[in-house]
Amino acid sequence: MSQEITNTAPIGVFDSGVGGLTVAREIMRQLPNENIVYFGDTARVPYGSKSKDNIIRFSRQIIRFLKTKNVKAVVIACNTASALALETVQKETDLPILGVIVPGARAAVQETRNNCIGIVGTEATIRSETYNKEIHKLNPDIKVIGKPCPLFVPLVEEGFAKHSITKEVIDIYLSEMKKTDIDTMILGCTHYPLLRSSIREYFGESVHIVNPAYETAMDLKKVLAENGMANPSEGEASYEFYVSDAAEKFTKFADSILPYDVTTTKEVNIEEY
Amino acid sequence: MSQEITNTAPIGVFDSGVGGLTVAREIMRQLPNENIVYFGDTARVPYGSKSKDNIIRFSRQIIRFLKTKNVKAVVIACNTASALALETVQKETDLPILGVIVPGARAAVQETRNNCIGIVGTEATIRSETYNKEIHKLNPDIKVIGKPCPLFVPLVEEGFAKHSITKEVIDIYLSEMKKTDIDTMILGCTHYPLLRSSIREYFGESVHIVNPAYETAMDLKKVLAENGMANPSEGEASYEFYVSDAAEKFTKFADSILPYDVTTTKEVNIEEY
């Protein structure tokens, strides 16, 4: 299949649901020539409480689906899948595959002044310690403090991002971390940028917040350039959206957070891939 | 297959995850002779935000799996699947299949004095209006007030059932309903009995709380008796637990809410059924 892939082929971007749209948005901003095929696994969301074996199986199915769309590269825009499946699927696939963790870890290492970094994410992401490993590859002296915040995703999905309840939940999860010396905090879940202002307010100006989405788009740009795969055409890029369930709800959410009109999302039975 | 089924065959009970254990527990109490095969779809939990088509597909797969265990009857111990899939799978299956909604609706109709019933449940259950339809079959004059409470499931699953945050969320979701005349409230999601004391406290003694699990076990007893299918053997019943993901976490939860030691849960790739 790889011989058919041209530079005008799309980038495949996937996530467990809508969260990865914060990554797609960064790619749209930084690589405006690139076409995108986005897949949100809304039939099996959330990934954060599920096992490594299943996250790998889900990721394989989605990559098989994206290959039917002739993508030239894949971005795993989901921290949990990046933490648990990236290494495995990279070995099996003849396309460049990027996750969000390596770029996020690198940005945090560059940012910290006192070598003390905090990470918030799903249970699976924190338990995997993948951020810790990537940070320690760059600087083994950095102290890393991780904290799973499993209620953040449902709070965002239910529209409570700006609610006082969410501020209380932030305090419950993060009061211990606030007492530590961290000067840098990684938002290790693609939903969390939507809580950014509340988290920033809670920690104050002394803690720098890292959103891996921005760094991931930068990395993608570099990978495409290095492989001579950047799209040279300057016409309007095309964006396609696929989900495994509830296309209409997804379309509304996508339309509200992307800087252009999202009108259709197609539904796919991902278990057939 | 049906000719192989004997009276000693197990009852199949399924749910999107752990919530249906509140129904399994009632069956164990009221039908101590019956063997049970429980399936929790932990790879695809939660169901409450997903579409009817997918809930039907998931339910069909699970029933096919339960049939490989030679069950003599199936209990859909999940309100969302009972609301969206029961009617379809009943037509396709040569076994008695019971949901939790008809028994819950009947109990509420018997209970109400002023013909005003409240229902709390997932988004999908409330949107389906299945409780409303079942209540109106019994008494078309009853006023039914439904309210989706999507954060209740993650709050229970994350161990916040007794936390003050949950009391605040109860107030956010149910303050409107508290101002109405309801004298009866259906806990229309199998997780919600675990919030029962907080909900009772919020509404006070004047509102009667209906837990459909109890009524469902009563109905099952009746169906088995009517079909001459009750298990006559008085030895110790056997209980088997299967999930589609994260067996260990499930075992811990099951062990904490069931009145006997749960030591093993087996993992099944449900997408193969």
Short mmCIF file of all heavy atoms in Angstrom, two decimals, chain B residues 76-86 98-108 119 124-126 128-135 138 186-189 210 212-213 215-216 219:
data_model
loop_
_atom_site.label_atom_id
_atom_site.label_comp_id
_atom_site.label_asym_id
_atom_site.label_seq_id
_atom_site.Cartn_x
_atom_site.Cartn_y
_atom_site.Cartn_z
N ILE B 76 -31.05 -8.48 31.54
CA ILE B 76 -30.29 -7.30 31.15
C ILE B 76 -30.29 -6.36 32.35
O ILE B 76 -31.25 -5.63 32.60
CB ILE B 76 -30.90 -6.61 29.92
CG1 ILE B 76 -31.03 -7.60 28.76
CG2 ILE B 76 -30.03 -5.42 29.51
CD1 ILE B 76 -31.49 -6.99 27.45
N ALA B 77 -29.20 -6.43 33.12
CA ALA B 77 -29.15 -5.69 34.40
C ALA B 77 -28.58 -4.30 34.17
O ALA B 77 -27.80 -3.80 34.96
CB ALA B 77 -28.28 -6.46 35.38
N CYS B 78 -28.98 -3.67 33.09
CA CYS B 78 -28.46 -2.36 32.71
C CYS B 78 -29.66 -1.59 32.18
O CYS B 78 -30.34 -2.05 31.27
CB CYS B 78 -27.40 -2.54 31.62
SG CYS B 78 -26.91 -1.00 30.80
N ASN B 79 -29.92 -0.44 32.79
CA ASN B 79 -31.08 0.33 32.37
C ASN B 79 -30.97 0.80 30.93
O ASN B 79 -31.94 0.77 30.18
CB ASN B 79 -31.26 1.54 33.29
CG ASN B 79 -31.89 1.17 34.61
OD1 ASN B 79 -33.10 1.22 34.76
ND2 ASN B 79 -31.09 0.78 35.58
N THR B 80 -29.77 1.25 30.53
CA THR B 80 -29.61 1.77 29.18
C THR B 80 -29.88 0.68 28.15
O THR B 80 -30.63 0.88 27.18
CB THR B 80 -28.18 2.34 28.99
OG1 THR B 80 -27.95 3.33 30.00
CG2 THR B 80 -28.01 2.96 27.63
N ALA B 81 -29.29 -0.51 28.36
CA ALA B 81 -29.52 -1.62 27.41
C ALA B 81 -30.96 -2.10 27.49
O ALA B 81 -31.56 -2.46 26.46
CB ALA B 81 -28.54 -2.76 27.68
N SER B 82 -31.57 -2.10 28.69
CA SER B 82 -32.98 -2.48 28.80
C SER B 82 -33.84 -1.48 28.02
O SER B 82 -34.79 -1.87 27.34
CB SER B 82 -33.43 -2.48 30.27
OG SER B 82 -32.73 -3.44 31.01
N ALA B 83 -33.49 -0.19 28.10
CA ALA B 83 -34.29 0.84 27.44
C ALA B 83 -34.15 0.77 25.93
O ALA B 83 -35.11 0.97 25.20
CB ALA B 83 -33.87 2.23 27.94
N LEU B 84 -32.95 0.48 25.43
CA LEU B 84 -32.69 0.62 24.00
C LEU B 84 -32.66 -0.70 23.23
O LEU B 84 -32.87 -0.71 22.02
CB LEU B 84 -31.37 1.37 23.76
CG LEU B 84 -31.23 2.75 24.41
CD1 LEU B 84 -29.89 3.36 24.06
CD2 LEU B 84 -32.35 3.68 23.95
N ALA B 85 -32.36 -1.81 23.91
CA ALA B 85 -32.12 -3.06 23.17
C ALA B 85 -33.08 -4.19 23.50
O ALA B 85 -33.23 -5.12 22.71
CB ALA B 85 -30.68 -3.52 23.41
N LEU B 86 -33.75 -4.13 24.66
CA LEU B 86 -34.53 -5.30 25.12
C LEU B 86 -35.53 -5.77 24.07
O LEU B 86 -35.57 -6.96 23.72
CB LEU B 86 -35.26 -4.97 26.43
CG LEU B 86 -36.17 -6.08 26.97
CD1 LEU B 86 -35.36 -7.29 27.39
CD2 LEU B 86 -37.01 -5.59 28.16
N LEU B 98 -35.24 -10.74 30.36
CA LEU B 98 -35.89 -9.72 31.19
C LEU B 98 -35.00 -8.49 31.27
O LEU B 98 -33.78 -8.60 31.35
CB LEU B 98 -36.07 -10.23 32.63
CG LEU B 98 -37.13 -11.26 32.92
CD1 LEU B 98 -36.63 -12.66 32.57
CD2 LEU B 98 -37.51 -11.20 34.39
N GLY B 99 -35.63 -7.32 31.28
CA GLY B 99 -34.90 -6.09 31.54
C GLY B 99 -35.26 -5.57 32.92
O GLY B 99 -36.05 -6.19 33.65
N VAL B 100 -34.70 -4.42 33.30
CA VAL B 100 -34.98 -3.88 34.64
C VAL B 100 -36.06 -2.79 34.62
O VAL B 100 -36.52 -2.36 35.67
CB VAL B 100 -33.69 -3.30 35.29
CG1 VAL B 100 -32.74 -4.42 35.66
CG2 VAL B 100 -33.01 -2.29 34.38
N ILE B 101 -36.46 -2.36 33.42
CA ILE B 101 -37.35 -1.20 33.35
C ILE B 101 -38.81 -1.53 33.64
O ILE B 101 -39.47 -0.83 34.41
CB ILE B 101 -37.16 -0.49 31.99
CG1 ILE B 101 -35.76 0.15 32.00
CG2 ILE B 101 -38.26 0.54 31.74
CD1 ILE B 101 -35.45 1.05 30.86
N VAL B 102 -39.30 -2.63 33.04
CA VAL B 102 -40.70 -3.00 33.29
C VAL B 102 -40.94 -3.25 34.80
O VAL B 102 -41.87 -2.67 35.37
CB VAL B 102 -41.11 -4.23 32.43
CG1 VAL B 102 -42.48 -4.75 32.81
CG2 VAL B 102 -41.07 -3.86 30.94
N PRO B 103 -40.08 -4.03 35.46
CA PRO B 103 -40.29 -4.22 36.91
C PRO B 103 -40.19 -2.91 37.69
O PRO B 103 -40.98 -2.67 38.62
CB PRO B 103 -39.15 -5.18 37.31
CG PRO B 103 -38.71 -5.84 36.04
CD PRO B 103 -38.98 -4.87 34.94
N GLY B 104 -39.24 -2.05 37.32
CA GLY B 104 -39.08 -0.77 38.03
C GLY B 104 -40.29 0.13 37.83
O GLY B 104 -40.77 0.77 38.79
N ALA B 105 -40.79 0.18 36.61
CA ALA B 105 -41.96 1.01 36.31
C ALA B 105 -43.18 0.52 37.10
O ALA B 105 -43.92 1.31 37.70
CB ALA B 105 -42.25 0.98 34.81
N ARG B 106 -43.35 -0.80 37.15
CA ARG B 106 -44.52 -1.37 37.85
C ARG B 106 -44.46 -1.05 39.35
O ARG B 106 -45.46 -0.66 39.96
CB ARG B 106 -44.57 -2.88 37.62
CG ARG B 106 -45.92 -3.47 37.96
CD ARG B 106 -45.90 -4.98 37.78
NE ARG B 106 -44.77 -5.53 38.48
CZ ARG B 106 -43.86 -6.35 37.93
NH1 ARG B 106 -43.97 -6.75 36.67
NH2 ARG B 106 -42.85 -6.79 38.64
N ALA B 107 -43.26 -1.20 39.93
CA ALA B 107 -43.12 -0.91 41.36
C ALA B 107 -43.45 0.55 41.65
O ALA B 107 -44.13 0.87 42.64
CB ALA B 107 -41.69 -1.23 41.81
N ALA B 108 -43.01 1.46 40.78
CA ALA B 108 -43.25 2.88 41.00
C ALA B 108 -44.75 3.20 40.89
O ALA B 108 -45.28 3.98 41.68
CB ALA B 108 -42.44 3.71 40.01
N ILE B 119 -37.76 10.11 37.64
CA ILE B 119 -36.79 9.08 37.21
C ILE B 119 -35.45 9.74 37.00
O ILE B 119 -35.35 10.77 36.33
CB ILE B 119 -37.19 8.46 35.86
CG1 ILE B 119 -38.59 7.90 35.92
CG2 ILE B 119 -36.21 7.35 35.46
CD1 ILE B 119 -39.17 7.69 34.54
N ALA B 124 -29.02 8.38 27.77
CA ALA B 124 -29.69 7.50 26.80
C ALA B 124 -31.00 6.95 27.37
O ALA B 124 -32.01 6.88 26.67
CB ALA B 124 -28.76 6.35 26.40
N THR B 125 -30.99 6.55 28.64
CA THR B 125 -32.20 5.99 29.25
C THR B 125 -33.30 7.05 29.32
O THR B 125 -34.45 6.80 28.94
CB THR B 125 -31.90 5.48 30.68
OG1 THR B 125 -30.93 4.45 30.59
CG2 THR B 125 -33.15 4.96 31.37
N ILE B 126 -32.96 8.24 29.78
CA ILE B 126 -33.97 9.29 29.92
C ILE B 126 -34.48 9.71 28.53
O ILE B 126 -35.68 9.83 28.31
CB ILE B 126 -33.41 10.50 30.70
CG1 ILE B 126 -32.98 10.07 32.12
CG2 ILE B 126 -34.41 11.64 30.74
CD1 ILE B 126 -34.08 9.47 32.98
N SER B 128 -34.69 8.02 25.85
CA SER B 128 -35.51 6.98 25.23
C SER B 128 -36.96 7.02 25.70
O SER B 128 -37.85 6.50 25.04
CB SER B 128 -34.94 5.59 25.57
OG SER B 128 -35.25 5.24 26.92
N GLU B 129 -37.20 7.62 26.87
CA GLU B 129 -38.54 7.67 27.49
C GLU B 129 -39.17 6.29 27.67
O GLU B 129 -40.39 6.15 27.71
CB GLU B 129 -39.47 8.59 26.68
CG GLU B 129 -38.95 10.02 26.65
CD GLU B 129 -39.98 11.05 26.26
OE1 GLU B 129 -40.97 10.68 25.57
OE2 GLU B 129 -39.84 12.22 26.65
N THR B 130 -38.35 5.25 27.79
CA THR B 130 -38.87 3.90 27.96
C THR B 130 -39.61 3.75 29.29
O THR B 130 -40.67 3.12 29.36
CB THR B 130 -37.74 2.85 27.85
OG1 THR B 130 -36.99 3.13 26.67
CG2 THR B 130 -38.30 1.45 27.76
N TYR B 131 -39.06 4.33 30.36
CA TYR B 131 -39.78 4.28 31.64
C TYR B 131 -41.15 4.94 31.51
O TYR B 131 -42.16 4.42 31.98
CB TYR B 131 -38.98 4.98 32.75
CG TYR B 131 -38.06 4.05 33.51
CD1 TYR B 131 -36.68 4.14 33.38
CD2 TYR B 131 -38.57 3.08 34.37
CE1 TYR B 131 -35.82 3.30 34.09
CE2 TYR B 131 -37.73 2.23 35.08
CZ TYR B 131 -36.36 2.34 34.93
OH TYR B 131 -35.54 1.49 35.62
N ASN B 132 -41.18 6.12 30.86
CA ASN B 132 -42.45 6.83 30.69
C ASN B 132 -43.48 5.93 29.99
O ASN B 132 -44.63 5.82 30.42
CB ASN B 132 -42.26 8.09 29.83
CG ASN B 132 -41.12 8.96 30.31
OD1 ASN B 132 -40.06 8.45 30.64
ND2 ASN B 132 -41.34 10.26 30.37
N LYS B 133 -43.03 5.28 28.89
CA LYS B 133 -43.96 4.43 28.12
C LYS B 133 -44.48 3.28 28.97
O LYS B 133 -45.68 2.98 28.96
CB LYS B 133 -43.24 3.88 26.86
CG LYS B 133 -43.04 4.94 25.78
CD LYS B 133 -42.12 4.42 24.65
CE LYS B 133 -41.37 5.58 24.02
NZ LYS B 133 -40.09 5.17 23.40
N GLU B 134 -43.59 2.64 29.73
CA GLU B 134 -44.02 1.50 30.55
C GLU B 134 -44.95 1.95 31.67
O GLU B 134 -45.92 1.25 31.99
CB GLU B 134 -42.80 0.75 31.13
CG GLU B 134 -41.95 0.05 30.08
CD GLU B 134 -42.72 -1.00 29.27
OE1 GLU B 134 -43.69 -1.57 29.80
OE2 GLU B 134 -42.35 -1.24 28.10
N ILE B 135 -44.68 3.10 32.25
CA ILE B 135 -45.55 3.64 33.29
C ILE B 135 -46.93 3.96 32.70
O ILE B 135 -47.97 3.61 33.27
CB ILE B 135 -44.91 4.89 33.94
CG1 ILE B 135 -43.72 4.46 34.82
CG2 ILE B 135 -45.94 5.70 34.74
CD1 ILE B 135 -42.84 5.61 35.30
N LEU B 138 -49.45 1.26 32.19
CA LEU B 138 -50.13 0.84 33.42
C LEU B 138 -51.11 1.89 33.89
O LEU B 138 -52.15 1.58 34.46
CB LEU B 138 -49.09 0.55 34.52
CG LEU B 138 -48.11 -0.58 34.20
CD1 LEU B 138 -46.96 -0.60 35.20
CD2 LEU B 138 -48.82 -1.93 34.18
N ILE B 186 -37.60 6.70 40.78
CA ILE B 186 -36.96 5.46 40.31
C ILE B 186 -35.47 5.70 40.12
O ILE B 186 -35.08 6.63 39.42
CB ILE B 186 -37.58 4.99 38.97
CG1 ILE B 186 -39.09 4.76 39.11
CG2 ILE B 186 -36.88 3.72 38.49
CD1 ILE B 186 -39.78 4.42 37.79
N LEU B 187 -34.65 4.85 40.72
CA LEU B 187 -33.20 4.89 40.48
C LEU B 187 -32.94 4.13 39.18
O LEU B 187 -32.72 2.91 39.18
CB LEU B 187 -32.44 4.26 41.64
CG LEU B 187 -32.65 4.92 43.02
CD1 LEU B 187 -31.81 4.21 44.07
CD2 LEU B 187 -32.31 6.40 42.98
N GLY B 188 -33.01 4.85 38.05
CA GLY B 188 -33.04 4.23 36.74
C GLY B 188 -31.66 3.95 36.15
O GLY B 188 -31.47 4.07 34.93
N CYS B 189 -30.72 3.59 36.98
CA CYS B 189 -29.37 3.21 36.54
C CYS B 189 -28.81 2.33 37.64
O CYS B 189 -28.95 2.65 38.83
CB CYS B 189 -28.51 4.46 36.35
SG CYS B 189 -26.76 4.09 36.06
N VAL B 210 -37.46 3.86 44.55
CA VAL B 210 -37.63 2.52 43.96
C VAL B 210 -36.30 2.07 43.34
O VAL B 210 -35.74 2.77 42.49
CB VAL B 210 -38.72 2.54 42.87
CG1 VAL B 210 -38.74 1.21 42.11
CG2 VAL B 210 -40.09 2.82 43.48
N PRO B 212 -35.07 -0.79 40.99
CA PRO B 212 -35.64 -1.85 40.13
C PRO B 212 -34.96 -3.22 40.30
O PRO B 212 -35.55 -4.23 39.90
CB PRO B 212 -35.40 -1.31 38.71
CG PRO B 212 -35.33 0.18 38.87
CD PRO B 212 -34.64 0.38 40.20
N ALA B 213 -33.80 -3.28 40.90
CA ALA B 213 -33.11 -4.57 41.05
C ALA B 213 -33.97 -5.57 41.82
O ALA B 213 -34.09 -6.74 41.43
CB ALA B 213 -31.77 -4.36 41.77
N GLU B 215 -37.26 -5.69 42.25
CA GLU B 215 -38.43 -6.12 41.48
C GLU B 215 -38.05 -7.04 40.32
O GLU B 215 -38.79 -7.94 39.94
CB GLU B 215 -39.15 -4.89 40.89
CG GLU B 215 -39.54 -3.86 41.93
CD GLU B 215 -40.66 -4.36 42.83
OE1 GLU B 215 -41.53 -5.10 42.34
OE2 GLU B 215 -40.67 -3.98 44.02
N THR B 216 -36.87 -6.80 39.75
CA THR B 216 -36.41 -7.62 38.63
C THR B 216 -36.16 -9.05 39.09
O THR B 216 -36.54 -10.02 38.40
CB THR B 216 -35.13 -7.01 38.02
OG1 THR B 216 -35.42 -5.67 37.62
CG2 THR B 216 -34.64 -7.80 36.82
N ASP B 219 -39.45 -10.76 39.43
CA ASP B 219 -39.99 -11.13 38.12
C ASP B 219 -39.30 -12.38 37.57
O ASP B 219 -39.93 -13.24 36.96
CB ASP B 219 -39.77 -9.99 37.11
CG ASP B 219 -40.94 -9.03 37.11
OD1 ASP B 219 -41.57 -8.88 38.18
OD2 ASP B 219 -41.21 -8.43 36.05
#
